[in-house]
Structure formats: C-alpha cells, structure tokens
Amino acid sequence: MRVVFATAELAPVATVGGLAFAAAGLGAELRRQGVDVDLVMPDYGGIELADETIIDLAVPSWVGPARLRVGSHPSVGRLHLVSVPGMERPHPYLQAGGEGWLDNSARFFRFARAVAAYVELDRPDILHLNDWHTGSVLAALTDPPPTVLSLHNLAYQGVTDGSWLDVIGPRSAHYEWWGGTNPLSGALALADRIVAVSPHHATEIVTPEGGFGLDEALRNRGADMIGILNGIDTDVWNPATDAHLAAPFDVTDLVGRNANRVTLHGRLGLAVDDVPLATVVTRLTHQKGIDVLAPLVPLLAQIPMRLAILGTGDAGLAAHLHHLADEHADWFTFVEGYDEALSHLMFAGADLYLMPSRFEPCGLTQMQAMRYGAVPVVTAVGGLVDTVIDADLDRQGTGFVAGRVAPEDLLAALFRAARRVKDRRRRQAMQRRMMNIDWSWTLPAGDYSALYAQLEGSSGR
Ligand code: ADP
Ligand code: GLC
C-alpha cells in the first residue's frame, strides 16, 4: 500500500510542537510495519538530502514554480521536500519577534497546491493530511484518493481572506467560512475519515464548548471521525539508553533515577532534599494553562513542593515567570527556551510532572514523564483523560487528575500527589505501573494501517 503523508512539521527536520514528533513517529512505525509512506513536507531551506532527484510539479501560475526534492535524510530516511516561493524561512511559522510571517496563508496554500500536484502525478492508494497547513490539498483534487485527515490542534485553523476561495481549486466552496477562507473546514467536509489524536478529544470536539467553532462540521461527519491515541518514540525515550541522562535506569532498577534527581536539582539551582520536585516542559501558550499554575508558585512552600518550568513562547508569560523565579528562588526555577537535553533530565529527575492544560488534543509529555517515572499531575482534558488514571480513585492509578482547570483544583491535586510520592513504597509501585505501559507507536500505527486498509480501493469523497 502506498501512502502520501503530508505535514508541515517532521522531527528532527522541522520541529515546533508535538505535530513534528507525531508525524515522525507514526511515519517511521508505518514503514516498519510495511506501509510504503512518502513523507512530504515543506522545504524550509538548509535541509541536505543524499541521492537527490528533483521533480517539477505542474501547478497553476499563482503558486509559482514548484519542485519536489526527493532523497535520503540521515534521520528520516526517504524524504519528499516541497519547494514553493516564500517557503524558505528560519522558522516554519514565526518571525524572530514571535509574530507569524505575514504571508503564512499564501505559503501554505502554495504548499498544499503543490502537494495536490504530486498526488495527481503519483496516484497513491491513500492520502494522509495533517492539520490546517495541508487542508486545502482537497480543494484542488477533483478525483482524490481516499483521504485521512488527522487533527492535531483545532485551535489553529489558518482562517484568512475570502479572496483565496477564487484561487485554491475547483472545490473551494467547501472552504467558505463566514466570508473568509478556512483551510481546515473544507478538509473536514472532504476527507473520507477524520482522526482526532486521542479518543477522549474526539468526544470533546463535537461539542460547542470544545469544537473551536467546527463542532457542527465534525458532528455532520458522524462515525467518519474516530480517535487514535498518539504514541511516543520509545527508542528516543528510553531511560536505559538515553545519552542525555546522568545515569541510566529502568523499571527493574530505579537506583539510577536518584543520580538524575540530584543532577537536575543542580542544573536548576535548587537544594536537594526530600521535598518533591515537579517539572513542566512546554510551549508557553494559552492552551497549556501555565497562567493558571503561576498563582500557585507563592504557595508551594506550604505543601511543600518545588517547581521548575522549561518553556518558550509567549513573551509576557515568560516575563511573569522570570519575575516569579526571582521572588521565590528557593522553590521555583524558570528556564526559558527549547532545550532537548534538559527536557530529558526534567522527566528523569522529577518526582512529579505537571500539565495544567486548558485543552490537550493528545499531549506527549505526560507519556514521556510516565516512561521516565515522573508521576503526572494533569487536568481532565483530551488525551490526558486517556493516559492518566487518578491513583486516589483507582488502585491501578498512574497519576493525579485535577477536576477543573482552576488554581484551587490544581492545588488540591498537587497536595494529593505530594502525599503519595513521599511514601516510598507506594511511589515505587506507581512508578513500576506507569513505566511498564507501552506508549510506543506500534498499536496506533496498526490502527492507522487498518483504517487505510478499509479505505483502499474506494474512491475519495
Ligand atoms: P504540543 O504539541 O501541544 O506543544 P505535545 O505534548 O504534544 O504538546 O508535544 C510537545 C513536544 O515538544 C514533546 O515531545 C516535548 O518533550 C517537546 N517540548 C515542548 N516544549 C519543549 C521545550 N521547551 N524544550 C524541549 N522540548 C520541548
Ligand atoms: C498538538 C497538540 C498536542 C498533540 C500534538 C501531536 O500540538 O497540542 O496535544 O500531542 O499535536 O498530535
């Protein structure tokens, strides 16, 4: 079976958030399971390929010259890079100041049109699209292959000017959105199957509260929408072999974990004693609820508990966190930035891992934390519901779940968590349970290939 898999991000080539890791992890596992996957992404510039061939793509003049570079990437293997005017930038979406590139709509409409041209040329058995950047591929295709659309984050829809409806292709009417153009709404109507990245999130996005305005469009699709939980790359996220750690450890031998705990405290400038340390590794956006957590920082000494946040994004929130870290230096550390090596240590050396998300389509970091034995404390949203079981409600519990996304509910969950992790025997029993869970892509990729098999041979919508 041949699949064209189109994405705006792919780790480690272009990484902004979880989309990059989900696309890379799923793509690699599908290949391992024997599916012939073309990984197709924008050519953001500076990406070297070995054994490269170049294909000119037949696109309308508004796209400008479009080419496909096909070759071998050292980490990804075979990779398809789409070059269109304006795509080469130092960051896929953002200017240095954090604002989006002003021509992002044009950039990704051109990318999507070029992907459509490749699909017309290549005629794969299945087309797999991801998020709004690829949504308008289906506007251009009048005879598409059966298509799967994965929804990683409905908060981003790429809504723009209505004049694009005259441009993006013969089926553009499906993309009309309150007088504007919505690259995602049309794809929701035209894809054969829609996949939310966790089963619980699939139930949230069909409600007016959780649907980001697209709930009706999603309800209209009925059983064509399903949820498939993401996985993580368990070769990268393996505490027994992880080069970023101070010492290896695994579920049968947790001793090495303590060396990581000591090293992490040192890196963060925190005293090491038996006060529990909670960590957060995140983008600083409204979604992640860090502003809901911030008011608790002055209260942490009472639990007692220490907190460290590694994150990048919203400049105002970062300034506020720096300020809190200055005021409460004994209990709270903020490291601003995106730091892969430190992120691994933040999971390996923490007692607790905190995720106060307002919404979370899936979330990967709670799985990374559990794999490294850090007990998750999360809100009851999206994929967090599917992955974390409250240990005060269930003997097989793997973490603590706050009732609402509110400081007082988070505080209550933190108190419960701190009590549990101070009890060495119960903490270790919980760590063993969570570290034994299979978070790999094996099962999810199997679900996706079963979905492809259902659709193979049918004509697209
Ligand atoms: P989202 O995609 O919404 O940002 P996910 O939990 O799905 O959230 O994925 C985020 C990914 O990015 C995880 O693999 C996480 O480890 C990584 N990550 C997020 N923030 C940072 C950071 N500041 N430094 C290093 N890695 C980070
Ligand atoms: C998005 C979501 C996150 C999900 C990731 C990968 O970035 O915010 O919850 O894990 O996509 O699907």
Side-chain angles (χ1 to χ4, degrees):
M1 182 174 355
R2 290 177 45 258
V3 178
V4 164
F5 185 98
T7 175
E9 297 177 36
L10 188 77
V13 187
T15 300
V16 179
L19 169 61
F21 298 101
L26 175 59
E29 181 58 29
L30 285 168
R31 284 178 173 172
R32 267 194 289 273
Q33 296 184 9
V35 184
D36 181 1
V37 187
D38 283 357
L39 294 168
V40 183
M41 64 175 288
D43 188 347
Y44 295 114
I47 308 167
E48 302 271 343
L49 298 179
D51 304 322
E52 183 171 330
T53 53
I54 291 181
I55 302 171
D56 285 319
L57 295 170
V59 290
S61 57
W62 65 267
V63 178
R67 316 177 306 162
L68 194 62
R69 297 173 54 207
V70 187
S72 177
H73 182 277
S75 317
V76 175
R78 202 161 54 96
L79 182 60
H80 288 58
L81 296 173
V82 174
S83 298
V84 286
M87 197 43 95
E88 292 203 10
R89 299 282 159 88
H91 186 285
Y93 318 129
L94 303 178
Q95 309 179 40
E99 297 293 304
W101 299 110
L102 296 178
D103 57 350
N104 272 345
S105 297
R107 294 171 71 228
F108 287 102
F109 282 135
R110 288 190 203 114
F111 167 63
R113 185 63 189 80
V115 171
Y118 177 55
V119 169
E120 281 168 332
L121 186 72
D122 187 61
R123 303 302 311 169
D125 300 309
I126 300 287
L127 171 62
H128 191 150
L129 303 176
N130 293 275
D131 277 359
W132 74 267
H133 323 92
T134 58
S136 62
V137 173
L138 290 174
L141 294 173
T142 46
D143 178 22
T147 301
V148 175
L149 168 69
S150 287
L151 300 176
H152 298 266
N153 202 327
L154 279 185
Y156 305 99
Q157 298 177 17
V159 176
T160 186
D161 196 277
S163 60
W164 283 101
L165 295 170
D166 302 332
V167 173
I168 56 176
R171 301 204 293 173
S172 68
H174 293 278
Y175 295 75
E176 197 276 329
W177 188 249
W178 303 100
T181 307
N182 184 333
L184 201 52
S185 68
L188 294 182
L190 294 173
D192 294 272
R193 293 288 187 281
I194 298 163
V195 180
V197 288
S198 68
H200 188 70
H201 195 53
T203 68
E204 293 171 334
I205 58 182
V206 291
T207 68
E209 299 74 31
F212 298 90
L214 294 171
D215 49 295
E216 193 181 354
L218 286 162
R219 280 197 302 278
N220 286 340
R221 298 305 308 272
D224 289 342
M225 185 179 69
I226 59 167
I228 299 178
L229 190 73
N230 283 334
I232 57 172
D233 185 330
T234 46
D235 294 329
V236 172
W237 295 101
N238 181 355
T241 56
D242 189 333
H244 298 304
L245 302 193
F249 62 96
D250 67 26
V251 64
T252 61
D253 181 7
L254 287 168
V255 177
R257 223 183 166 269
N258 201 42
N260 289 295
R261 189 173 186 275
V262 172
T263 304
L264 177 62
H265 279 77
R267 281 286 300 276
L268 297 170
L270 295 171
V272 201
D273 50 27
D274 59 1
V275 170
L277 171 65
T279 57
V280 183
V281 176
T282 190
R283 291 182 295 124
L284 298 177
T285 62
H286 182 74
Q287 169 185 349
K288 301 294 177 180
I290 303 305
D291 55 312
V292 184
L293 176 62
L296 299 183
V297 168
L299 308 179
L300 290 173
Q302 296 169 24
I303 296 183
M305 178 178 291
R306 294 197 178 88
L307 174 66
I309 298 179
L310 167 63
T312 180
D314 183 277
L317 185 52
H320 182 52
L321 294 176
H322 280 302
H323 174 73
L324 284 171
D326 290 342
E327 298 244 300
H328 306 278
D330 290 347
W331 303 96
F332 176 57
T333 299
F334 171 50
V335 181
E336 185 172 4
Y338 189 97
D339 186 335
E340 191 186 340
L342 179 58
S343 77
H344 286 235
L345 202 57
M346 298 274 282
F347 298 116
D351 303 293
L352 301 170
Y353 181 75
L354 210 56
M355 224 167 156
S357 304
R358 288 194 169 83
F359 69 94
E360 198 59 74
C362 178
L364 304 177
T365 56
Q366 80 279 16
M367 298 190 245
Q368 293 159 356
M370 284 188 265
R371 177 125 168 101
Y372 280 52
V375 174
V377 181
V378 303
T379 44
V381 297
L384 304 179
V385 172
D386 295 309
T387 49
V388 181
I389 303 167
D390 193 296
D392 282 335
L393 299 177
D394 190 316
R395 289 169 62 87
Q396 294 308 307
T398 50
F400 294 88
V401 182
R404 291 166 312 146
V405 186
E408 54 276 25
D409 288 41
L410 277 180
L411 189 63
L414 286 175
F415 266 115
R416 295 193 291 121
R419 200 181 311 145
R420 176 70 61 120
V421 296
K422 274 192 222 143
D423 179 335
R424 184 159 159 270
R425 200 181 50 80
R426 296 175 78 204
R427 181 187 73 227
Q428 289 191 345
M430 208 163 155
Q431 284 174 319
R432 276 194 289 274
R433 273 200 297 282
M434 68 177 75
M435 291 175 75
N436 270 324
I437 300 172
D438 177 7
W439 299 116
S440 74
W441 275 101
T442 311
L443 291 174
D447 289 347
Y448 274 104
S449 45
L451 192 60
Y452 297 161
Q454 270 174 27
L455 293 172
E456 191 180 10
S458 64
S459 55
R461 262 166 89 92

